[in-house]
Amino acid sequence: MSGQAPRRLPPLAALDHAARLLAEHGFNVVARNERGDSLYLQREGCAFALRLSNHARTTKQRQRRTDVLASLVVRDARSSEQVAALVAGTLRDFDLARGRREAQASGAASDSGAASRK
């Protein structure tokens, strides 16, 4: 081991690295904002999205894109290992939020089905 600190990727390179790691987990870019600093990614057949950007979402963005379950924000230079850890956390958050959203939808469907059977 050389004792040197891990090489840090500039923010745009870190975002590109995160996008590649997310692609390994089945996420594909489905949209990007006009400036190109925010990407929206989805897994095939999934109605929900994950956002990758260099800035947090605004209230307006949250209202407009209710399909986004998790965001990964990279503002500063990061090592490859740090980016991988951020991706892992974001994947966990996405999967948990998706499970909650799908449980709510199935609960609402069964509630409406019960009401229609009365």
Side-chain angles (χ1 to χ4, degrees), residues 4 19 22 27-28 30-31 36 42 44-45 48 51 53 58 63 70 73 76 79 86-87 89-90 95 98-99 117-118:
Q4 293 179 344
L22 289 165
F27 283 88
N28 299 301
V30 294
Q42 286 180 290
E44 186 154 341
F48 302 111
R51 179 177 175 270
S53 185
T58 64
Q63 292 170 346
V73 177
D76 304 314
S79 70
L86 289 170
V87 166
T90 303
D95 289 336
R98 181 179 176 187
R117 288 189 298 266
K118 288 183 180 181

Side-chain angles (χ1 to χ4, degrees), residues 19 23 26-32 38-43 50 52:
F27 283 88
N28 299 301
V29 175
V30 294
R32 67 179 64 233
S38 294
L39 302 175
Y40 295 87
L41 302 98
Q42 286 180 290
R43 288 180 173 143
L50 183 153
L52 177 59

